[in-house]
């Protein structure tokens, strides 16, 4: 049973606009959430994280929002750039630092 | 900081061969490392958690005799795919924790394993 889900396998956005990637989870014990960016044939690169005590964390063009009651988190990228085109994975963690990953959303930012 | 190096990046070998993949934390000590497998267009599947100086903890369905993990030092973990067969062909990725709670895992660049 998949505990972290990304229901959109792909997303296409025009350069300069906002990209919104979504992620849902089922385990209420998760208290740490992350987003990773992955290019083909490379390992995931850590992007941004958020603890369950917060509902928003911002780092430059990237903002992660957490809605604990809905068990939902999202990543906003604004403005989107062509170099942002990649696969984005959300991940969640509870005890013991074991991470659960979503299936990824492929973002394409069109010039 | 927090650089993880994985080697080799690509392996092509015959069926029946054993293949060793190395994962090194270059600028930090990693008490815990993780090994993942990724199938095409799918998520990262955790295979095992590797703790320095102790036996690895394998996820359900992962054969420990097939996928040997050794974490002999705070900077090195190895995954050996023993007697590899075509169905073992996949993308294997390691990651390491810098330590402490609520810290991200940092990933290596992965190893593309192709068994002929």
């Amino acid at each position: 049973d998949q505990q972290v889900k990304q229901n959109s396998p792909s997303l296409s956005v025009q350069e300069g606009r906002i990209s919104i990637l979504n992620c849902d989870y089922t385990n209420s014990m998760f208290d740490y959430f992350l987003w990773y960016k992955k290019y083909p044939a490379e390992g995931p690169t850590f992007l941004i994280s958020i603890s369950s005590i917060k509902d928003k964390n911002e780092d430059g063009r990237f903002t992660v929002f957490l809605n604990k009651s809905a068990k939902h988190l999202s990543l906003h990228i604004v403005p989107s750039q062509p170099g942002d085109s990649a696969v984005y994975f959300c991940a969640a963690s509870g005890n013991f630092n074991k991470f659960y990953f979503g299936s990824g959303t492929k973002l394409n930012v069109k010039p | 900081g927090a650089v993880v190096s994985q080697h080799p990046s690509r392996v092509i070998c015959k069926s029946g061969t054993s293949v060793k993949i190395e994962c090194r934390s270059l600028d930090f000590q990693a008490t815990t490392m993780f090994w993942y497998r990724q199938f095409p267009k799918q998520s990262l599947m955790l295979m095992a958690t590797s703790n320095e100086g102790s036996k690895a903890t394998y996820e359900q369905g992962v054969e420990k005799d097939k996928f040997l993990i050794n974490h002999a030092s705070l900077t090195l973990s190895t995954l050996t795919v023993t007697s590899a067969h075509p169905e073992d062909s996949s993308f294997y990725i390691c990651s390491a924790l810098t330590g402490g709670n609520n810290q991200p895992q940092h990933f290596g660049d992965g190893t593309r394993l192709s068994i002929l």
Side-chain angles (χ1 to χ4, degrees), chain B residues 1-77:
Chain B
V3 176
V4 176
S5 173
Q6 188 173 339
H7 178 81
S9 59
R10 186 174 181 92
V11 180
I12 302 173
C13 58
K14 293 181 179 179
S15 184
T17 306
S18 291
V19 178
K20 180 186 280 189
I21 303 169
E22 292 188 349
C23 181
R24 294 181 185 272
S25 56
L26 296 186
D27 51 359
F28 65 98
Q29 293 184 331
T31 54
T32 305
M33 288 185 171
F34 302 86
W35 288 96
Y36 293 85
R37 183 173 179 176
Q38 186 184 23
F39 294 98
K41 299 184 179 180
Q42 293 189 28
S43 183
L44 300 169
M45 184 192 79
L46 179 64
M47 299 175 64
T49 302
S50 168
N51 291 296
E52 184 266 338
S54 63
K55 290 184 179 180
T57 302
Y58 289 82
E59 295 299 302
Q60 191 173 10
V62 179
E63 300 177 58
K64 62 180 181 181
D65 295 330
K66 174 75 172 178
F67 299 99
L68 300 179
I69 291 171
N70 183 276
H71 194 158
S73 77
L74 287 171
T75 60
L76 174 65
S77 176

Coordinates of all heavy atoms in Angstrom, one line a residue, chain B residues 1-77:
Chain B
G1 N 28.2 20.9 0.6 CA 28.5 19.8 1.5 C 27.5 18.6 1.2 O 26.7 18.7 0.3
A2 N 27.6 17.6 2.0 CA 26.8 16.4 1.9 C 26.8 15.8 0.6 O 25.7 15.6 -0.1 CB 25.3 16.7 2.3
V3 N 28.0 15.4 0.1 CA 28.1 14.8 -1.2 C 28.2 13.3 -1.0 O 29.0 12.8 -0.2 CB 29.4 15.3 -1.9 CG1 29.6 14.6 -3.2 CG2 29.3 16.8 -2.1
V4 N 27.5 12.6 -1.8 CA 27.5 11.1 -1.8 C 27.9 10.6 -3.2 O 27.4 11.1 -4.2 CB 26.1 10.5 -1.5 CG1 26.1 9.0 -1.6 CG2 25.7 11.0 -0.1
S5 N 28.9 9.8 -3.2 CA 29.5 9.3 -4.5 C 29.1 7.8 -4.6 O 29.3 7.0 -3.7 CB 31.0 9.5 -4.4 OG 31.6 8.9 -5.6
Q6 N 28.7 7.5 -5.8 CA 28.3 6.1 -6.0 C 29.0 5.6 -7.3 O 29.1 6.3 -8.3 CB 26.8 6.0 -6.3 CG 26.2 4.6 -6.3 CD 24.7 4.5 -6.4 OE1 24.0 5.4 -6.0 NE2 24.2 3.4 -6.9
H7 N 29.6 4.4 -7.1 CA 30.4 3.9 -8.2 C 30.2 2.4 -8.4 O 30.1 1.7 -7.4 CB 31.9 4.2 -7.9 CG 32.8 3.6 -8.9 ND1 33.1 4.3 -10.1 CD2 33.6 2.5 -8.9 CE1 34.0 3.6 -10.8 NE2 34.3 2.5 -10.1
P8 N 30.1 1.8 -9.6 CA 30.2 2.5 -10.9 C 28.9 3.1 -11.2 O 27.9 2.8 -10.6 CB 30.6 1.4 -11.8 CG 29.9 0.2 -11.2 CD 30.0 0.4 -9.7
S9 N 28.9 3.9 -12.3 CA 27.6 4.6 -12.7 C 26.8 3.6 -13.6 O 25.6 3.7 -13.8 CB 27.9 5.9 -13.4 OG 28.7 5.7 -14.5
R10 N 27.6 2.7 -14.3 CA 26.9 1.8 -15.2 C 27.7 0.5 -15.2 O 28.9 0.5 -15.3 CB 26.8 2.4 -16.6 CG 26.0 1.6 -17.6 CD 25.8 2.2 -18.9 NE 25.0 1.4 -19.8 CZ 23.7 1.5 -19.9 NH1 23.1 2.4 -19.2 NH2 23.0 0.7 -20.7
V11 N 26.9 -0.6 -15.2 CA 27.6 -1.9 -15.3 C 26.8 -2.8 -16.3 O 25.5 -2.8 -16.2 CB 27.6 -2.6 -13.9 CG1 28.2 -4.0 -14.1 CG2 28.3 -1.8 -12.9
I12 N 27.5 -3.4 -17.2 CA 26.9 -4.4 -18.1 C 27.6 -5.7 -17.9 O 28.8 -5.7 -18.1 CB 26.9 -3.9 -19.6 CG1 26.2 -2.5 -19.7 CG2 26.3 -4.9 -20.5 CD1 26.4 -1.9 -21.1
C13 N 26.9 -6.7 -17.6 CA 27.7 -8.0 -17.4 C 26.8 -9.2 -17.7 O 25.6 -9.0 -17.9 CB 28.2 -8.1 -15.9 SG 27.0 -7.9 -14.7
K14 N 27.4 -10.3 -17.7 CA 26.7 -11.5 -18.1 C 25.9 -12.1 -16.9 O 26.3 -11.9 -15.7 CB 27.7 -12.6 -18.6 CG 28.4 -12.2 -19.9 CD 29.3 -13.3 -20.3 CE 30.0 -13.0 -21.6 NZ 31.0 -14.1 -22.1
S15 N 24.9 -12.9 -17.2 CA 24.1 -13.5 -16.2 C 25.0 -14.5 -15.4 O 25.9 -15.1 -15.9 CB 23.0 -14.3 -16.9 OG 22.2 -14.9 -15.9
G16 N 24.8 -14.4 -14.1 CA 25.6 -15.3 -13.2 C 26.8 -14.5 -12.5 O 27.4 -15.0 -11.5
T17 N 27.1 -13.4 -13.0 CA 28.1 -12.5 -12.4 C 27.7 -11.9 -11.1 O 26.5 -11.5 -11.0 CB 28.6 -11.5 -13.4 OG1 28.9 -12.1 -14.7 CG2 29.8 -10.7 -12.9
S18 N 28.6 -11.7 -10.2 CA 28.3 -10.9 -9.0 C 28.8 -9.5 -9.2 O 29.9 -9.3 -9.7 CB 28.9 -11.5 -7.8 OG 28.3 -12.7 -7.4
V19 N 28.0 -8.5 -8.8 CA 28.4 -7.1 -9.1 C 28.4 -6.3 -7.8 O 27.4 -6.4 -7.0 CB 27.4 -6.4 -10.0 CG1 27.7 -5.0 -10.3 CG2 27.3 -7.2 -11.4
K20 N 29.4 -5.6 -7.5 CA 29.5 -4.8 -6.3 C 29.4 -3.3 -6.6 O 30.0 -2.8 -7.5 CB 30.9 -5.0 -5.6 CG 31.0 -4.2 -4.3 CD 32.4 -4.3 -3.7 CE 32.6 -5.5 -2.9 NZ 33.8 -5.5 -2.1
I21 N 28.5 -2.6 -5.9 CA 28.3 -1.2 -6.0 C 28.7 -0.5 -4.7 O 28.4 -0.9 -3.7 CB 26.8 -0.9 -6.3 CG1 26.4 -1.6 -7.6 CG2 26.6 0.6 -6.5 CD1 24.9 -1.6 -7.8
E22 N 29.5 0.6 -4.9 CA 30.0 1.3 -3.7 C 29.3 2.6 -3.5 O 29.0 3.3 -4.5 CB 31.5 1.6 -3.8 CG 32.4 0.3 -3.8 CD 33.9 0.7 -3.7 OE1 34.2 1.9 -3.9 OE2 34.7 -0.2 -3.5
C23 N 29.1 3.0 -2.3 CA 28.4 4.2 -1.9 C 29.3 4.9 -0.9 O 29.5 4.3 0.2 CB 27.0 4.0 -1.4 SG 26.1 5.5 -1.0
R24 N 29.8 6.1 -1.2 CA 30.7 6.8 -0.2 C 30.1 8.2 0.1 O 29.7 8.9 -0.8 CB 32.1 7.0 -0.8 CG 32.8 5.7 -1.0 CD 34.2 6.0 -1.6 NE 34.9 4.7 -1.9 CZ 35.6 4.0 -1.1 NH1 35.8 4.5 0.2 NH2 36.2 2.9 -1.4
S25 N 30.2 8.5 1.4 CA 29.9 9.9 1.8 C 31.2 10.6 1.8 O 32.2 10.2 2.5 CB 29.2 9.9 3.2 OG 30.0 9.2 4.2
L26 N 31.3 11.6 1.0 CA 32.7 12.2 0.8 C 33.0 13.3 1.9 O 34.2 13.4 2.2 CB 32.7 12.9 -0.6 CG 32.6 11.9 -1.8 CD1 32.8 12.7 -3.1 CD2 33.5 10.8 -1.7
D27 N 32.1 14.0 2.4 CA 32.4 15.1 3.3 C 31.7 15.0 4.6 O 31.6 16.0 5.3 CB 32.2 16.4 2.6 CG 30.8 16.5 2.0 OD1 30.0 15.5 2.1 OD2 30.5 17.6 1.4
F28 N 31.2 13.8 4.9 CA 30.5 13.7 6.2 C 30.5 12.2 6.6 O 30.7 11.3 5.7 CB 29.1 14.2 6.2 CG 28.1 13.5 5.3 CD1 27.3 12.5 5.7 CD2 28.1 13.7 3.9 CE1 26.4 11.8 4.9 CE2 27.3 13.1 3.0 CZ 26.4 12.1 3.5
Q29 N 30.2 11.9 7.8 CA 30.2 10.6 8.3 C 28.7 10.1 8.3 O 27.9 10.8 8.9 CB 30.8 10.4 9.7 CG 32.3 10.7 9.7 CD 32.9 10.5 11.0 OE1 32.3 10.7 12.1 NE2 34.2 10.0 11.1
A30 N 28.5 9.0 7.7 CA 27.1 8.5 7.6 C 26.9 7.3 8.4 O 27.3 6.2 8.0 CB 26.8 8.3 6.1
T31 N 26.2 7.4 9.5 CA 25.9 6.2 10.3 C 24.9 5.3 9.7 O 24.8 4.1 9.9 CB 25.5 6.6 11.7 OG1 24.3 7.5 11.6 CG2 26.5 7.3 12.5
T32 N 24.1 5.9 8.8 CA 23.0 5.2 8.2 C 23.0 5.5 6.7 O 23.1 6.7 6.3 CB 21.6 5.6 8.7 OG1 21.6 5.4 10.1 CG2 20.5 4.7 8.1
M33 N 23.0 4.4 5.9 CA 22.9 4.6 4.5 C 21.7 3.7 4.0 O 21.4 2.7 4.7 CB 24.2 4.1 3.8 CG 25.3 5.1 4.0 SD 26.8 4.6 3.0 CE 27.8 6.0 3.2
F34 N 21.2 4.1 2.9 CA 20.0 3.4 2.4 C 20.3 2.9 0.9 O 21.0 3.6 0.2 CB 18.8 4.3 2.3 CG 18.4 4.8 3.7 CD1 19.0 6.0 4.2 CD2 17.5 4.2 4.5 CE1 18.7 6.5 5.4 CE2 17.1 4.7 5.8 CZ 17.8 5.9 6.2
W35 N 19.7 1.8 0.5 CA 19.8 1.3 -0.8 C 18.4 1.2 -1.4 O 17.5 0.6 -0.8 CB 20.5 0.0 -0.9 CG 22.0 0.1 -0.6 CD1 22.6 -0.1 0.6 CD2 23.0 0.4 -1.6 NE1 24.0 0.1 0.4 CE2 24.2 0.4 -0.9 CE3 23.0 0.7 -2.9 CZ2 25.4 0.7 -1.5 CZ3 24.2 1.0 -3.6 CH2 25.4 1.0 -2.9
Y36 N 18.3 1.8 -2.6 CA 17.0 1.9 -3.3 C 17.2 1.2 -4.7 O 18.2 1.2 -5.2 CB 16.5 3.3 -3.5 CG 16.1 4.1 -2.2 CD1 17.1 4.7 -1.5 CD2 14.8 4.1 -1.8 CE1 16.8 5.4 -0.3 CE2 14.5 4.8 -0.7 CZ 15.4 5.5 0.1 OH 15.1 6.2 1.2
R37 N 16.0 0.8 -5.2 CA 16.0 0.3 -6.6 C 14.8 1.1 -7.2 O 13.8 1.3 -6.6 CB 15.7 -1.2 -6.5 CG 15.7 -1.8 -7.9 CD 15.5 -3.3 -7.7 NE 15.5 -4.0 -9.0 CZ 15.4 -5.3 -9.1 NH1 15.4 -6.1 -8.1 NH2 15.4 -5.9 -10.3
Q38 N 15.1 1.5 -8.5 CA 14.0 2.2 -9.2 C 13.8 1.5 -10.5 O 14.7 1.4 -11.3 CB 14.4 3.7 -9.5 CG 13.3 4.5 -10.1 CD 13.7 5.9 -10.4 OE1 14.9 6.2 -10.6 NE2 12.7 6.8 -10.5
F39 N 12.5 1.1 -10.7 CA 12.1 0.6 -12.0 C 11.6 1.8 -12.9 O 11.2 2.8 -12.4 CB 10.9 -0.4 -11.8 CG 11.4 -1.6 -11.0 CD1 11.2 -1.8 -9.6 CD2 12.1 -2.7 -11.6 CE1 11.6 -2.9 -8.9 CE2 12.5 -3.8 -10.9 CZ 12.3 -3.9 -9.6
P40 N 11.6 1.5 -14.2 CA 11.2 2.6 -15.1 C 9.9 3.2 -14.7 O 8.9 2.5 -14.5 CB 11.2 1.9 -16.4 CG 12.2 0.8 -16.3 CD 12.0 0.3 -14.9
K41 N 9.9 4.5 -14.7 CA 8.6 5.3 -14.4 C 8.0 5.0 -13.1 O 6.8 5.2 -13.0 CB 7.7 5.1 -15.6 CG 8.2 5.6 -16.9 CD 7.2 5.5 -18.0 CE 7.8 6.0 -19.4 NZ 6.8 6.0 -20.5
Q42 N 8.8 4.5 -12.2 CA 8.2 4.2 -10.9 C 9.0 4.9 -9.8 O 10.0 5.5 -10.1 CB 8.2 2.7 -10.6 CG 7.3 1.9 -11.5 CD 7.1 0.4 -11.1 OE1 7.3 0.1 -9.9 NE2 6.8 -0.4 -12.0
S43 N 8.5 4.8 -8.6 CA 9.1 5.4 -7.5 C 10.4 4.7 -7.0 O 10.7 3.6 -7.5 CB 8.2 5.6 -6.3 OG 8.7 6.3 -5.3
L44 N 11.1 5.3 -6.1 CA 12.2 4.7 -5.4 C 11.7 3.6 -4.5 O 10.9 3.9 -3.6 CB 13.0 5.7 -4.7 CG 13.6 6.8 -5.5 CD1 14.2 7.9 -4.7 CD2 14.7 6.3 -6.5
M45 N 12.2 2.4 -4.6 CA 11.8 1.3 -3.7 C 12.9 1.0 -2.7 O 14.0 0.6 -3.1 CB 11.4 0.1 -4.5 CG 10.9 -1.1 -3.6 SD 10.9 -2.7 -4.5 CE 12.6 -3.2 -4.4
L46 N 12.7 1.3 -1.4 CA 13.7 1.0 -0.5 C 14.0 -0.5 -0.4 O 13.0 -1.3 -0.2 CB 13.3 1.5 0.9 CG 14.2 1.3 2.1 CD1 15.5 2.1 1.8 CD2 13.6 1.7 3.4
M47 N 15.2 -0.9 -0.5 CA 15.6 -2.3 -0.4 C 16.1 -2.6 1.0 O 15.7 -3.6 1.6 CB 16.8 -2.6 -1.4 CG 16.4 -2.3 -2.8 SD 17.9 -2.6 -3.9 CE 18.2 -4.3 -3.6
A48 N 16.9 -1.7 1.5 CA 17.5 -2.0 2.9 C 18.1 -0.8 3.5 O 18.4 0.2 2.8 CB 18.6 -3.1 2.7
T49 N 18.2 -0.8 4.8 CA 18.8 0.2 5.6 C 20.1 -0.3 6.2 O 20.1 -1.4 6.8 CB 17.9 0.7 6.7 OG1 16.6 1.1 6.1 CG2 18.5 1.8 7.5
S50 N 21.2 0.4 6.0 CA 22.5 -0.1 6.3 C 23.0 0.8 7.5 O 23.2 2.0 7.3 CB 23.4 0.0 5.1 OG 24.7 -0.2 5.4
N51 N 23.3 0.2 8.6 CA 23.9 0.9 9.7 C 25.4 0.5 9.9 O 25.7 -0.7 9.9 CB 23.1 0.6 11.0 CG 21.8 1.3 10.9 OD1 21.6 2.5 10.9 ND2 20.7 0.5 11.0
E52 N 26.2 1.4 10.1 CA 27.6 1.1 10.3 C 27.9 0.2 11.4 O 27.4 0.3 12.5 CB 28.4 2.4 10.5 CG 29.9 2.3 10.6 CD 30.4 2.1 12.0 OE1 29.8 2.5 12.9 OE2 31.5 1.6 12.1
G53 N 28.6 -0.9 11.1 CA 29.0 -1.9 12.1 C 28.0 -2.9 12.5 O 28.2 -3.7 13.4
S54 N 26.8 -2.9 11.8 CA 25.8 -3.9 12.1 C 25.2 -4.4 10.9 O 25.4 -3.9 9.8 CB 24.7 -3.3 13.1 OG 24.1 -2.2 12.4
K55 N 24.3 -5.4 11.0 CA 23.7 -6.0 9.9 C 22.7 -5.1 9.3 O 22.0 -4.3 10.0 CB 23.1 -7.3 10.3 CG 24.0 -8.4 10.6 CD 23.3 -9.7 10.9 CE 24.3 -10.9 11.2 NZ 23.6 -12.1 11.5
A56 N 22.5 -5.2 8.0 CA 21.5 -4.3 7.3 C 20.1 -4.8 7.6 O 19.9 -6.0 7.9 CB 21.8 -4.4 5.8
T57 N 19.2 -3.9 7.6 CA 17.8 -4.3 7.7 C 17.1 -4.3 6.4 O 17.0 -3.2 5.7 CB 17.1 -3.3 8.7 OG1 17.7 -3.2 9.9 CG2 15.6 -3.6 8.9
Y58 N 16.6 -5.4 6.0 CA 16.0 -5.5 4.6 C 14.5 -5.3 4.7 O 13.8 -5.7 5.6 CB 16.4 -6.9 4.0 CG 17.8 -7.1 3.7 CD1 18.8 -7.4 4.7 CD2 18.2 -6.9 2.4 CE1 20.1 -7.6 4.3 CE2 19.6 -7.1 2.1 CZ 20.5 -7.4 3.0 OH 21.8 -7.5 2.7
E59 N 14.0 -4.7 3.6 CA 12.6 -4.6 3.5 C 11.9 -5.9 3.0 O 12.6 -6.8 2.5 CB 12.3 -3.5 2.4 CG 12.7 -2.1 2.8 CD 12.0 -1.7 4.1 OE1 10.8 -1.6 4.2 OE2 12.8 -1.4 5.1
Q60 N 10.7 -6.0 3.3 CA 10.0 -7.3 3.0 C 10.1 -7.5 1.5 O 9.9 -6.6 0.6 CB 8.5 -7.1 3.4 CG 7.7 -8.4 3.3 CD 6.3 -8.2 3.9 OE1 5.9 -7.1 4.2 NE2 5.6 -9.3 4.1
G61 N 10.4 -8.8 1.2 CA 10.4 -9.1 -0.3 C 11.8 -9.0 -0.9 O 12.0 -9.4 -2.0
V62 N 12.8 -8.4 -0.1 CA 14.1 -8.3 -0.7 C 15.0 -9.4 -0.1 O 15.1 -9.6 1.1 CB 14.7 -6.9 -0.3 CG1 16.1 -6.8 -0.8 CG2 13.9 -5.8 -0.8
E63 N 15.6 -10.2 -1.0 CA 16.4 -11.3 -0.6 C 17.8 -10.9 0.0 O 18.6 -10.4 -0.8 CB 16.6 -12.3 -1.7 CG 15.3 -12.8 -2.3 CD 15.7 -13.7 -3.5 OE1 16.4 -14.7 -3.4 OE2 15.2 -13.4 -4.6
K64 N 18.0 -11.1 1.2 CA 19.3 -10.6 1.8 C 20.5 -11.4 1.3 O 21.6 -10.9 1.2 CB 19.2 -10.7 3.3 CG 19.0 -12.1 3.9 CD 19.0 -12.0 5.4 CE 18.8 -13.4 6.0 NZ 18.7 -13.3 7.5
D65 N 20.2 -12.7 0.9 CA 21.4 -13.5 0.3 C 21.6 -13.1 -1.1 O 22.7 -13.4 -1.6 CB 21.0 -15.0 0.4 CG 20.9 -15.4 1.8 OD1 21.6 -14.8 2.7 OD2 20.1 -16.4 2.1
K66 N 20.7 -12.4 -1.7 CA 20.9 -12.0 -3.1 C 21.5 -10.6 -3.2 O 22.4 -10.4 -4.0 CB 19.5 -11.9 -3.8 CG 19.4 -11.3 -5.2 CD 19.9 -12.3 -6.1 CE 19.7 -11.9 -7.6 NZ 20.3 -12.9 -8.5
F67 N 21.1 -9.8 -2.3 CA 21.6 -8.4 -2.2 C 22.4 -8.2 -0.9 O 21.8 -7.9 0.1 CB 20.5 -7.4 -2.3 CG 19.7 -7.5 -3.6 CD1 18.5 -8.2 -3.6 CD2 20.2 -6.9 -4.8 CE1 17.8 -8.3 -4.8 CE2 19.4 -7.0 -5.9 CZ 18.2 -7.7 -6.0
L68 N 23.7 -8.5 -1.0 CA 24.5 -8.4 0.2 C 25.0 -7.0 0.5 O 25.5 -6.3 -0.4 CB 25.8 -9.3 0.0 CG 25.5 -10.8 -0.2 CD1 26.9 -11.5 -0.4 CD2 24.8 -11.4 1.0
I69 N 24.7 -6.5 1.7 CA 25.1 -5.1 2.0 C 26.1 -5.2 3.2 O 25.9 -5.8 4.2 CB 23.8 -4.3 2.4 CG1 23.0 -4.1 1.2 CG2 24.2 -3.0 3.1 CD1 21.6 -3.5 1.5
N70 N 27.1 -4.3 3.0 CA 28.2 -4.2 4.0 C 28.4 -2.7 4.3 O 28.5 -1.9 3.4 CB 29.5 -4.9 3.5 CG 30.6 -4.8 4.6 OD1 31.3 -3.8 4.7 ND2 30.7 -5.9 5.3
H71 N 28.4 -2.4 5.5 CA 28.7 -1.0 5.9 C 29.8 -1.0 6.9 O 29.6 -0.8 8.1 CB 27.4 -0.4 6.5 CG 27.3 1.1 6.7 ND1 26.2 1.8 6.8 CD2 28.3 2.0 6.7 CE1 26.4 3.1 6.9 NE2 27.7 3.2 6.8
A72 N 31.0 -1.1 6.4 CA 32.2 -1.4 7.2 C 32.7 -0.1 7.9 O 33.4 -0.2 8.9 CB 33.3 -2.0 6.4
S73 N 32.4 1.0 7.3 CA 32.9 2.3 7.9 C 31.9 3.3 7.8 O 30.8 3.2 7.2 CB 34.2 2.7 7.2 OG 33.9 3.3 5.9
L74 N 32.2 4.5 8.4 CA 31.2 5.6 8.5 C 31.1 6.3 7.2 O 30.2 7.2 7.0 CB 31.6 6.6 9.6 CG 31.3 6.1 11.0 CD1 31.9 7.0 12.0 CD2 29.8 5.9 11.3
T75 N 31.9 5.9 6.2 CA 31.8 6.6 4.9 C 31.6 5.7 3.7 O 31.6 6.1 2.6 CB 33.1 7.4 4.7 OG1 34.3 6.5 4.7 CG2 33.3 8.5 5.7
L76 N 31.5 4.4 4.0 CA 31.4 3.5 2.9 C 30.3 2.3 3.2 O 30.4 1.7 4.2 CB 32.7 2.8 2.6 CG 32.7 1.7 1.5 CD1 32.4 2.2 0.2 CD2 34.1 1.0 1.5
S77 N 29.4 2.2 2.2 CA 28.5 1.0 2.2 C 28.6 0.4 0.8 O 28.7 1.1 -0.2 CB 27.1 1.5 2.5 OG 26.2 0.4 2.4

